[in-house]
Amino acid sequence: MNKIDKLIINSPFEEPKHYWYYDNKSQKFSKEAGRRPAGYVIASESKSRNDMGKFVEIPLVNEIRPIIKTWKENGYSGISSISKKLLAHWNDVSVRKDSNVQFFFCQLEAIETLIWITESQSDQADAIRSKLKGDGGDFTRICSKMATGSGKTIIMAMIIAWQVLNKVSDSSSKNHSKNILLLAPNLTVRSRLAVLEPTHPKNYYDLFRIVPPELLEKLRLGNIKILNWHALAWDTEEKILKRKSVDKRGAKSDKAYAKEVLGEMAKAKDILVINDEAHHAWRMNPELKEKKIDKDQVAESTIWVGGLDRLHRSVGILKCFDLSATPFAPSGKKSDEEALFSWIVSDFGLNDAIECGLVKTPRVVVRDDGKDKKDYKSLLYHIYDNQEIREDLSQKREESDPLPNLVVQAYELLGIDWLKTKEDWAKNNSPVPPVMITIANRTETSARVEYAFRNKMFKFDLDDLCHPDKVLRIDSKILEATDKILEEGGTKQTTTSSEESDEDTDESKLSKKDQSLVIREKIDSIGQIGKAGEQIVNIISVAMLTEGWDAKNVTQIMGLRAFSSQLLCEQVIGRGLRRMSYDVDDDGLFTAEYVNVFGVPFAFLPHEESEDGEGKSTSASKKVGNIAPDPEKAEHEISWPNILRVSSSLKPVLTVNWKDVATLTLNPFDVITNAELAAMIDGKPNLSLVTEIDLQRVIDKYRIQTMIFKIGKNIFDSEKKRWKGNPDYLLSQIIKLTEEFLSSDKIKINSEVYSRDENKRKLILIVNMDKIIRHLMQVIKEENTTEYELVFDDQKPMRSTADLWSYNTTRTCENYSKTHINLTVYDSQWEQFAAQRLQKNKNVISFVKNDHLNFFIPYQFNGASRKYYLDFIIKLKSGEMLLLEIKGQRTEESDEKAKAALDWVKAVNSQASFGKWRYAVAYQREEIDDILESGLWDGGES
């Protein structure tokens, strides 16, 4: 057999150009040009390791693929303007490279296919829709087949954005709904799908730039409800009759049921349903009745699909979008055979995900130096296939019964490999340890495996894997029981940090319910810093680990059960294939990460091996760093206004050139401010009885501000016909100019007494109001100026470095004391040099590399809206904030970015609420210190 030395042969961001093809006859792999046909592999009757099974195509998907490709190349014709805008936004590569959230090709293809099938009115679309065979129910189901690790949650976010924005923009649309019901297979998944709520602090719409900023407000008008499938359960008449309680009320009507499940959404019509892990939702095949099918599977599927039927009868289901890596259901032919969903419209399978590097590269044992080989294959290849092993592990035994010798040898070999991985990760300062998982056939087997580790029943020193606090045994029944506890309101509040973890709790004293909750918390937080599962390294599971379990640090897998189908292989391997990092090498391909596998027969999948048959190190070729805010450096937190866009407009401004204004001289005796009155007797005044009217006596009752307003109002009333603009806006300017004039040296009172006394001066100004008005009217001029309007994200008007959502990277990192983030990530040596200068410069108080911070400046280029993610945000000793860009060379687009940044700075500074901001670009290394020391700002500002 030809060996594959490198499985990753395609870019994750482009349509696959090659695939590995295995010829059963020649028993050789070949690298074929083009794209792997859509399909799946089923086991053949042959037991040979060289038999890769039978490939079954999915004809409908292979028919759709070229149509979607041509439709995309022709500009997405025949769909709504909102859908076109979203597709353009999702495909904007230049913006997405800047922000490190470029979508995978498989994600774009999946959403494009759903939009085309839903909206296109072409003959081709009609023909495809006519071929979509549903599941026999009354509502339409459409499935996207996506491998584990290919980003199904992002696709769900895209679906929600596409549906809600279209419906909000056009309420008459029959293709869209703003009421979304999302169903999950368990509480782990339901909890993690909370990021699909637009108001969630770490929602995917912000994190992955799924919605253009100007549409965020419309998205929040949608109604999104996320439920575990258990919420669909209902009492049948049969169940009610069996109740022991006196409450014998009948089963709820469909309308009452909908209200109970949907709450306020029950008032809506034509909701959209998204089924995550949709292979749990299948209708009972009549042929299954006489077959031996898992009763729990049947019950779950019946509740799930039956509940949707009831909702459809009550509120109507517009469409149901299914997502699953393995959309199979029991076929009714054999207990180990599954039937593929017939309503699949797009397919990106596990092989495709492996060849694009979206998941870890799996490696299996190809030979060993033991005896008793069967078909020349290693006994470790499919351990359970050995008759002695199968007979031993299939029996009920005590946990202290020793494991078969072959299983012990397998654990010793895989354990040594794990220890080597742990050493390699420690050298690279990995924040979490690698993890080994076991998938056992039954509870008794998992108990025996746990006992062997906890009691160190191995010939080699595997102490790190045997530490009681680092071994975790779990089975699906425990997880299901925990789900029910939590659905009903569990008694224990699960912890969220290591400070509250069970190192302070005696688990043996907890109730069974609370013990299961502790286990749930640990299993859900494997590999997460500061969480209960952070240091777990050895997981022993019965059957299958729960869907949604997304530990990324799995490096070894042991399979101790039968594997008779692709479905089982994919589900088991899928639990260990999530990557630690998504950094791209210079060749545009992901850096390979590995998982070593014993006992899971990869007859259904290509795997990587070296020429000598020995595995490579499972550690990544680069150091893995976890990037997050550092609480100990919180004093260096940097915040900024979260501006979605900056609008500018020309507005009329009234100005006065004070240098050219002549001085207005006022004489106190030009006006009358005092009068004396005397009674008249015989036509003559009686001067002995005089009454005085003196304005000076009452002047303290009059406010100078009232006079200013009256002057301004008089000027405005006489001149408003020749001035354009908002009256209130203009009047406020006149009042301001009047205030400036009265307090300036352009008014002179030619009396020292009246000038020094505030009340006397006020009196002269008031009585000379007409003169002041005429004088000002001659010097006020109207000009146009630019005014900025900032449009903020009303859900989060301010962001800061504290909002960074932690992520892993293999890019070069370094720890600096002046930045809130624990590690500063570099994309080039130029950026590394800049960070070092910022750290050393005495004028820099704090700085941060703009990486995954969600800080951008909107700009236009070549008629398209784009986002500018500049390099550094800096807080200076002067109190100013500096936006610093590092550029190798000047381009037309970089000039447009600079203009947008300068406008952003002017707009923010005009608000006076966010401090003073500056912007600068350094094209040469020596310019950085000049900018920081001398204030050589871009745009000529100082």
Side-chain angles (χ1 to χ4, degrees):
M1 180 190 297
N2 284 0
K3 296 178 177 63
I4 299 173
D5 60 349
K6 182 177 174 62
L7 267 178
I8 301 176
I9 52 177
N10 292 311
S11 165
F13 306 112
E14 300 173 357
E15 182 179 14
K17 295 181 172 63
H18 302 92
Y19 65 96
W20 290 111
Y21 172 74
Y22 180 73
D23 185 351
N24 269 325
K25 292 182 180 179
S26 64
Q27 298 185 4
K28 292 182 179 180
F29 278 109
S30 59
K31 185 178 176 181
E32 300 294 318
R35 186 173 178 186
R36 179 189 304 278
Y40 59 103
V41 176
I42 60 174
S44 63
E45 296 297 323
S46 172
K47 294 286 186 178
S48 170
R49 178 193 181 284
N50 293 331
D51 188 340
M52 300 296 282
K54 179 184 177 183
F55 180 78
V56 180
E57 279 198 42
I58 309 177
L60 187 60
V61 174
N62 288 322
E63 182 180 353
I64 291 173
R65 280 180 177 176
I67 298 174
I68 299 300
K69 184 176 182 180
T70 302
W71 175 64
K72 180 175 184 176
E73 291 170 350
N74 291 335
Y76 299 120
S77 61
I79 59 174
S80 74
S81 59
I82 290 290
S83 298
K84 274 191 177 182
K85 187 168 188 175
L86 286 172
L87 288 168
H89 177 69
W90 295 332
N91 280 282
D92 194 337
V93 176
S94 61
V95 172
R96 300 201 166 278
K97 281 186 176 178
D98 284 344
S99 58
N100 294 311
V101 289
Q102 188 175 356
F103 295 129
F104 300 141
F105 166 81
C106 60
Q107 293 169 331
L108 291 172
E109 183 183 53
I111 189 65
E112 287 165 352
T113 304
L114 294 179
I115 292 174
W116 179 80
I117 284 177
T118 301
E119 295 188 24
S120 177
Q121 299 304 311
S122 65
D123 292 340
Q124 282 182 311
D126 289 340
I128 293 297
R129 284 190 286 263
S130 69
K131 295 180 181 180
L132 274 176
K133 296 178 181 178
D135 66 348
D138 292 331
F139 56 89
T140 301
R141 293 181 71 175
I142 300 175
C143 179
S144 300
K145 182 172 175 283
M146 301 291 298
T148 298
S150 58
K152 292 196 293 294
T153 307
I154 287 179
I155 295 172
M156 285 185 262
M158 289 173 158
I159 291 173
I160 291 169
W162 158 53
Q163 283 286 314
V164 170
L165 291 175
N166 270 286
K167 189 65 174 181
V168 169
S169 300
D170 178 9
S171 59
S172 66
S173 173
K174 302 298 183 184
N175 290 321
H176 309 98
S177 175
K178 69 174 184 178
N179 298 292
I180 314 294
L181 173 62
L182 208 161
L183 292 171
N186 54 55
L187 289 181
T188 300
V189 176
R190 190 191 73 175
S191 175
R192 287 175 180 159
L193 292 181
V195 294
L196 297 177
E197 292 278 5
T199 55
H200 191 279
K202 294 180 179 179
N203 73 81
Y204 269 26
Y205 310 100
D206 283 338
L207 184 66
F208 292 100
R209 321 290 192 268
I210 285 174
V211 176
E214 64 272 20
L215 295 178
L216 277 172
E217 287 304 311
K218 287 187 175 181
L219 178 66
R220 291 169 184 144
L221 297 176
N223 302 312
I224 301 164
K225 196 172 189 67
I226 304 172
L227 297 175
N228 183 10
W229 69 272
H230 289 93
L232 298 178
W234 70 93
D235 284 339
T236 62
E237 294 288 357
E238 183 181 359
K239 285 183 180 179
I240 292 170
L241 289 173
K242 292 180 179 179
R243 280 182 186 165
K244 294 180 180 179
S245 68
V246 296
D247 183 2
K248 298 292 184 180
R249 285 177 293 181
K252 289 184 174 70
S253 67
D254 289 341
K255 187 175 181 179
Y257 171 78
K259 186 174 181 180
E260 180 181 87
V261 173
L262 299 177
E264 286 299 310
M265 196 183 288
K267 298 176 183 177
K269 290 295 180 183
D270 294 331
I271 65 173
L272 183 101
V273 175
I274 301 175
N275 288 327
D276 190 19
E277 306 296 354
H279 53 274
H280 293 279
W282 40 267
R283 292 186 184 279
M284 179 69 74
N285 185 332
E287 296 181 38
L288 287 176
K289 292 181 179 179
E290 298 178 5
K291 304 296 178 181
K292 188 177 180 181
I293 301 298
D294 189 299
K295 291 182 179 179
D296 291 337
Q297 278 186 302
V298 173
E300 176 180 357
S301 185
T302 300
I303 291 171
W304 194 320
V305 176
L308 290 179
D309 284 338
R310 298 194 69 180
L311 293 179
H312 182 59
R313 290 194 295 268
S314 177
V315 301
I317 293 177
L318 181 68
K319 276 188 179 63
C320 178
F321 290 128
D322 293 337
L323 290 101
S324 172
T326 53
F328 295 84
S331 65
K333 297 176 182 178
K334 294 182 180 179
S335 61
D336 61 352
E337 284 188 5
E338 297 85 23
L340 191 73
F341 286 2
S342 62
W343 51 96
I344 298 172
V345 296
S346 64
D347 174 33
F348 200 84
L350 185 53
N351 282 340
D352 302 303
I354 292 170
E355 290 166 351
C356 287
L358 295 181
V359 293
K360 290 189 178 84
T361 297
R363 289 188 302 225
V364 301
V365 57
V366 293
R367 53 178 172 262
D368 61 56
D369 57 0
K371 297 180 180 179
D372 303 323
K373 295 294 186 297
K374 181 180 179 182
D375 294 334
Y376 301 98
K377 65 182 178 183
S378 170
L379 294 176
L380 304 176
Y381 178 67
H382 189 181
I383 297 171
Y384 197 82
D385 193 40
N386 182 287
Q387 185 175 350
E388 293 180 6
I389 302 299
R390 189 186 306 113
E391 290 177 355
D392 183 286
L393 298 184
S394 62
Q395 297 179 30
K396 287 187 177 182
R397 291 180 178 270
E398 297 297 322
E399 64 175 21
S400 57
D401 286 350
L403 293 167
N405 189 49
L406 178 61
V407 174
V408 173
Q409 291 181 39
Y411 272 119
E412 288 173 342
L413 286 168
L414 203 58
I416 294 296
D417 184 64
W418 179 89
L419 289 172
K420 176 64 168 59
T421 305
K422 180 175 179 290
E423 291 173 5
D424 291 342
W425 282 29
K427 290 176 184 176
N428 286 329
N429 297 318
S430 173
V432 294
V435 166
M436 178 168 73
I437 62 175
T438 295
I439 307 296
N441 64 325
R442 58 189 299 153
T443 301
E444 289 83 1
T445 301
S446 67
R448 292 167 68 188
V449 172
E450 180 187 29
Y451 184 89
F453 274 104
R454 289 184 180 274
N455 292 276
K456 301 180 181 179
M457 300 176 69
F458 301 101
K459 297 184 287 292
F460 296 93
D461 181 6
L462 302 179
D463 286 359
D464 285 350
L465 283 169
C466 298
H467 193 290
D469 292 337
K470 298 182 180 182
V471 179
L472 180 64
R473 179 166 68 92
I474 192 164
D475 63 42
S476 56
K477 290 183 179 179
I478 292 177
L479 293 177
E480 289 170 7
T482 307
D483 279 356
K484 291 179 181 177
I485 292 171
L486 292 175
E487 283 283 6
E488 297 165 1
T491 58
K492 179 180 173 61
Q493 295 294 319
T494 56
T495 61
T496 56
S497 69
S498 56
E499 296 177 354
E500 303 174 88
S501 66
D502 24 329
E503 67 180 39
D504 299 323
T505 303
D506 186 352
E507 291 182 24
S508 64
K509 296 180 181 180
L510 296 175
S511 67
K512 287 186 177 180
K513 287 184 177 180
D514 285 349
Q515 285 183 42
S516 66
L517 290 171
V518 170
I519 293 174
R520 161 67 76 177
E521 181 190 1
K522 286 182 179 179
I523 197 70
D524 284 351
S525 61
I526 299 298
Q528 296 182 25
I529 299 173
K531 299 292 183 67
E534 176 187 11
Q535 293 301 318
I536 298 293
V537 298
N538 190 349
I539 299 173
I540 304 159
S541 171
V542 177
M544 215 62 60
L545 286 162
T546 179
E547 282 134 336
W549 188 70
D550 61 352
K552 299 175 177 63
N553 53 331
V554 175
T555 51
Q556 280 78 21
I557 298 176
M558 176 71 78
L560 294 179
R561 61 158 298 162
F563 291 94
S564 56
S565 69
Q566 181 197 30
L567 178 59
L568 288 174
C569 283
E570 287 203 23
Q571 288 179 333
V572 170
I573 295 301
R575 301 299 182 264
L577 291 185
R578 293 188 183 274
R579 294 179 61 94
M580 288 284 286
S581 166
Y582 288 89
D583 291 333
V584 178
D585 280 342
D586 294 337
D587 60 1
L589 306 182
F590 278 143
T591 303
E593 296 180 9
Y594 296 97
V595 59
N596 287 352
V597 183
F598 280 14
V600 184
F602 265 73
F604 313 109
L605 299 166
H607 54 273
E608 190 172 298
E609 59 181 275
S610 58
E611 285 299 317
D612 58 5
E614 296 182 2
K616 305 172 187 176
S617 170
T618 58
S619 61
S621 60
K622 296 181 181 179
K623 176 180 175 180
V624 176
N626 182 263
I627 312 301
D630 186 347
E632 295 184 1
K633 297 191 290 179
E635 63 184 294
H636 295 288
E637 180 179 354
I638 289 178
S639 60
W640 58 89
N642 189 15
I643 299 170
L644 301 180
R645 66 179 181 275
V646 177
S647 300
S648 61
S649 60
L650 287 176
K651 291 198 173 182
V653 174
L654 302 179
T655 62
V656 172
N657 187 347
W658 296 109
K659 292 180 181 179
D660 299 336
V661 176
T663 301
L664 174 63
T665 302
L666 302 175
N667 189 330
F669 306 106
D670 286 345
V671 291
I672 298 172
T673 62
N674 179 278
E676 294 180 345
L677 293 83
M680 299 297 290
I681 300 175
D682 195 19
K684 293 181 180 180
N686 181 5
L687 297 179
S688 63
L689 295 172
V690 175
T691 299
E692 184 181 36
I693 300 175
D694 188 353
L695 295 180
Q696 194 67 59
R697 292 178 181 176
V698 296
I699 194 64
D700 58 341
K701 296 180 181 179
Y702 292 88
R703 296 177 62 247
I704 191 71
Q705 199 64 33
T706 303
M707 183 196 69
I708 291 171
F709 180 82
K710 287 182 177 181
I711 292 173
K713 186 71 167 59
N714 278 317
I715 293 174
F716 175 76
D717 288 341
S718 63
E719 298 294 322
K720 60 185 178 183
K721 290 183 179 179
R722 69 183 179 94
W723 288 339
K724 298 177 181 178
N726 181 279
D728 293 336
Y729 179 73
L730 291 170
L731 180 57
S732 67
Q733 293 183 70
I734 295 171
I735 291 171
K736 183 180 179 183
L737 292 173
T738 303
E739 199 171 30
E740 288 182 39
F741 181 51
L742 294 179
S743 61
S744 73
D745 59 1
K746 296 298 180 177
I747 293 181
K748 182 180 180 182
I749 300 174
N750 60 357
S751 166
E752 287 295 324
V753 174
Y754 278 84
S755 295
R756 289 197 302 267
D757 188 293
E758 183 179 343
N759 274 345
K760 289 184 182 295
R761 184 176 188 277
K762 186 196 301 184
L763 175 62
I764 297 305
L765 292 176
I766 290 174
V767 297
N768 284 283
M769 186 184 297
D770 290 339
K771 278 187 180 181
I772 295 171
I773 290 171
R774 287 194 300 271
H775 198 81
L776 261 181
M777 284 173 61
Q778 295 173 9
V779 294
I780 293 177
K781 295 181 179 180
E782 182 185 23
E783 297 177 353
N784 284 329
T785 187
T786 302
E787 184 175 72
Y788 296 97
E789 180 185 0
L790 306 182
V791 179
F792 295 88
D793 185 335
D794 62 355
Q795 292 293 320
K796 198 169 183 67
M798 294 292 293
R799 297 190 75 92
S800 82
T801 48
D803 296 325
L804 176 69
W805 198 356
S806 66
Y807 65 97
N808 293 321
T809 184
T810 59
R811 289 180 287 169
T812 305
C813 307
E814 198 162 352
N815 187 358
Y816 292 117
S817 63
K818 287 186 178 182
T819 182
H820 185 199
I821 308 306
N822 61 342
L823 297 171
T824 296
V825 181
Y826 308 131
D827 292 312
S828 66
Q829 291 183 353
W830 193 180
E831 288 183 354
Q832 183 179 25
F833 175 85
Q836 291 170 349
R837 300 311 303 165
L838 295 175
Q839 172 67 25
K840 292 179 180 179
N841 194 284
K842 65 181 184 297
N843 288 328
V844 175
I845 299 298
S846 305
F847 74 96
V848 66
K849 171 75 188 311
N850 184 24
D851 189 59
H852 284 72
L853 287 179
N854 203 18
F855 173 69
F856 65 91
I857 293 174
Y859 72 104
Q860 296 281 326
F861 186 67
N862 287 339
S865 298
R866 301 179 185 274
K867 294 177 182 177
Y868 175 20
Y869 295 89
L870 44 79
D871 295 311
F872 293 94
I873 310 173
I874 304 161
K875 183 177 182 180
L876 297 170
K877 191 175 182 180
S878 64
E880 292 178 322
M881 301 298 296
L882 170 63
L883 304 177
L884 180 62
E885 174 73 356
I886 306 298
K887 275 288 177 191
Q889 60 182 356
R890 198 163 188 162
T891 64
E892 184 181 351
E893 185 171 8
S894 71
D895 287 344
E896 289 300 319
K897 288 181 177 179
K899 290 178 184 177
L902 288 171
D903 282 344
W904 187 94
V905 165
K906 290 176 183 175
V908 171
N909 288 342
S910 71
Q911 300 293 306
S913 303
F914 308 105
K916 189 166 185 180
W917 290 72
R918 300 283 190 176
Y919 168 75
V921 180
Y923 293 98
Q924 304 293 331
R925 298 192 176 200
E926 58 269 23
E927 290 178 342
I928 294 178
D929 284 336
D930 290 340
I931 289 169
L932 298 172
E933 299 286 344
S934 308
L936 298 180
W937 309 102
D938 194 46
E941 298 187 64
S942 62

